[in-house]
């Protein structure tokens, strides 16, 4: 049969021609491939050009539609697949601790920094979800050598990794474990940092070092861990959640009512690898730490201990709980800056949002208003909120141009109304001025060594120290830092001044004058002698040096009012820097002696350590019944780091310690 209508010269119709067999209705059914191909081709040839074009166009159109719908389906499927993977992860309890920030953070940038201006912190893009890591690059989990006998921090890490793996495989609903003890229950899992938090950067440039062999924990470090545990036992048993332990009366004292010792000790526990203790403390922070309290706190003390402690714990653990708490306290401290001069008041009521100077004066202490910058600047970098940084930079700019300095040395007080220094003419590197000098250098390091005014002020001040405050004692000719009062030199030196050798060494390590290192070496010897020349081997709070040789007299004289020891950290802090930068084992040995003497004279058998009233009486050092929070926050931490041979255990090219020994990241690598 034929359905064709032939004859027209214009073939704009469909013509189908059947072969003879079909036409005849014979030959049966032939469906061979060759036949079908031939027949199709014949039919195609019989079509008009227009018909072919229409068909080709249709095919092309269908093909394009097909590709488009395939792609969008792919996306849909991918997201469905990812979602179900995520769901699975949640079920399998993948660690929920947010990743730790990289040790070295991006430098704040400012296109055009005028000389004499502080560069703006360039706040970074809002964050992508952070990469999942368990600790800062230099503190990350590494597999220990199988044959390592000594217990290492990394044993703990590997054990925890294995636990996490097992957890995943078994799909259990157990707690999530991260290295260094952060066991986070599902209901405590931390929120991602606020959308304003900077994007976490590329892996730290030092990541390859993570592959290095782990450094075993040595006997002396174990002794520090033991000391910490003993101190912690006392705090836990008798002062849990309170500010300070009173180890003899088995009670506590309250200063701000904010669990000061616990917060100060958080990052020490992390560094010492005290997992259980850290977990327990974290739970207290999550459930019981409340800043909405009608209480007056000292701006400086709460910044360095609480804000600093929370920020460094956030960096080490990556747990955003600590950042949230840091933001909370940071905001609550801000009313302190509402003064006529913008020089902050000493005290803030963190519940009411009001601030005031001490009752008897409108002055603030110079060290206090100039040693809160590392913490507030870091808080701005993390939150993207510049108000914190602006407030503290304002203070530094103001002090930079203020008259009343003596060759870079500052007086001890500044008025919150006029913004002027008061009580002019007295210069010390001890109480009320000490950390001004420390923070000049450390802010400069934190900001990537770009803020020239800070460096200028620091260098000028050290020249001032050399010119006005250095003397040598008799008979041992120890170089010490005295005080200047209205032109008169006093051979008095606070133990607090012993931060200086460490700071000088840190400056020299960062490229400053080599003679700073020489001075650091002589001063640390003096600070050690402040221990070694005393009957208990522990330094008093203040010493007076003999400037003239007298028969039977040592270099050091101690007045009855000054012979207490508060378990302060400054000498071990400096020993730590000196050992890191020189590798000279004598510094470790000196620190070891000091630890043994703390154990001998300040350890309370039922738990805790105590300040003592008389370092000159080994048979009765007169315990004071108080363990300061900095003993756990600073003294034992610096001891542990001093005894370590692992320079990546808080690498000093990546972290800068605040004045309460809380490490904060340097914004750009050295
Ligand atoms: C700490 O709070 C800090 O180190 C501060 O800078 C000085 N006083 C104590 C420790 O001595």
């Amino acid at each position: 049969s034929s359905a064709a209508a032939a004859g027209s010269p214009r073939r704009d119709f469909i013509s189908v021609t059947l072969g003879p067999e079909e036409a005849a209705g014979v030959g049966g059914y032939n469906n061979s491939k060759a036949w079908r191909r031939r027949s199709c081709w014949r039919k195609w040839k019989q079509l008009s050009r227009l018909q072919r074009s229409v068909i080709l166009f249709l095919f092309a159109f269908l093909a394009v539609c097909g590709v488009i719908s395939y792609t969008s389906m792919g996306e849909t499927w991918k997201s469905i697949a990812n979602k179900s993977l995520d769901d699975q992860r949640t079920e399998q309890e993948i660690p929920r601790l947010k990743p730790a920030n990289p040790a070295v953070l991006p430098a704040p940038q400012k296109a055009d920094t005028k000389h004499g201006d502080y560069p703006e912190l360039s706040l970074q893009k809002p964050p992508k979800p952070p990469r999942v890591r368990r600790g800062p690059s230099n503190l990350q989990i590494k597999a220990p050598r199988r044959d390592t006998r000594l217990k290492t921090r990394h044993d703990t890490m590997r054990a925890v990794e294995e636990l996490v793996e097992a957890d995943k495989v078994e799909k259990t609903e157990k707690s999530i474990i991260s290295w260094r003890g952060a066991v986070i229950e599902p209901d405590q899992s931390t929120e991602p940092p606020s959308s304003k938090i900077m994007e976490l950067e590329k892996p730290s440039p030092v990541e390859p070092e993570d592959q290095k062999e782990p450094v075993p924990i040595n006997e002396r470090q174990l002794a520090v861990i033991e000391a910490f545990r003993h101190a912690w036992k006392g705090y836990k048993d008798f002062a849990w959640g309170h500010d300070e332990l009173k180890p003899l009366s088995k009670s506590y004292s309250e200063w701000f009512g904010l669990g000061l010792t616990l917060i100060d000790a958080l990052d020490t526990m992390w560094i010492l690898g005290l997992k259980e203790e850290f977990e327990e403390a974290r739970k207290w922070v999550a459930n019981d730490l409340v800043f909405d309290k009608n209480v007056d706190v000292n701006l400086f003390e709460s910044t360095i201990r609480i804000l600093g402690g929370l920020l460094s714990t956030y960096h080490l653990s990556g747990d955003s709980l600590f950042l949230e708490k840091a933001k909370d306290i940071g905001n609550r401290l801000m009313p302190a800056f509402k003064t006529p001069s913008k020089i902050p008041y000493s005290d803030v009521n963190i519940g009411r949002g009001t601030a005031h100077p001490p009752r008897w004066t409108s002055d603030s202490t110079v060290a206090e208003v100039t040693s809160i910058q590392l913490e507030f600047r870091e808080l701005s970098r993390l939150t993207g909120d510049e108000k914190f940084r602006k407030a503290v930079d304002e203070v530094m700019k103001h002090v930079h141009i203020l008259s009343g300095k003596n060759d870079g040395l500052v007086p001890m007080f500044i008025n919150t109304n006029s913004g002027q220094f008061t009580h002019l003419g007295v210069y010390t590197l001890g109480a009320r001025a000490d950390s001004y000098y420390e923070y000049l250098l450390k802010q400069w390091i934190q900001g990537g060594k770009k803020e020239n005014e800070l460096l200028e002020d620091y260098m000028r001040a050290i020249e001032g120290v050399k010119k006005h405050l250095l003397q040598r004692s008799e008979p041992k000719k120890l170089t010490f830092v005295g005080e200047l009062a209205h032109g008169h030199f006093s051979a008095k030196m606070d133990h607090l001044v012993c931060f200086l050798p460490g700071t000088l060494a840190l400056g020299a390590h960062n490229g400053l004058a080599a003679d700073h290192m020489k001075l650091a070496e002589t001063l640390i010897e003096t600070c050690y002698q402040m221990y070694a020349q005393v009957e208990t081997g522990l330094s008093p709070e203040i010493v007076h040096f003999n400037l003239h040789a007298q028969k039977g007299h040592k270099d050091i004289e101690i007045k009855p009012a000054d012979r207490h020891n508060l378990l302060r950290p400054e000498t071990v802090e400096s020993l730590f820097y000196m050992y890191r930068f020189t590798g000279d084992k004598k510094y470790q040995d000196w620190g070891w002696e000091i630890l043994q003497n703390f154990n001998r004279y300040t350890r309370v058998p039922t738990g805790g350590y105590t300040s003592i009233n008389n370092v000159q009486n080994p048979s009765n050092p007169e315990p004071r019944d108080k363990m300061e929070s900095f003993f756990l926050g600073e003294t034992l931490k610096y001891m542990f780091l001093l005894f370590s041979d692992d320079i990546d255990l808080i690498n000093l090219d990546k972290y800068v310690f605040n004045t309460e020994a809380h490490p904060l990241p340097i914004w750009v690598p050295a």
Side-chain angles (χ1 to χ4, degrees), residues 300-301 304-305 434-435 496 568-570 630 634 659-660:
F300 163 74
E301 296 292 356
I304 65 169
R305 300 185 199 212
D434 49 358
S435 44
L496 287 169
R568 285 197 191 276
E570 290 76 17
F630 49 71
E634 297 194 67
T659 192
E660 189 75 7

Side-chain angles (χ1 to χ4, degrees), residues 109-115 117-120:
Q109 292 158 7
K110 187 183 177 192
D112 187 12
T113 305
K114 274 184 265 143
H115 180 73
D117 255 350
Y118 290 107
E120 293 285 328

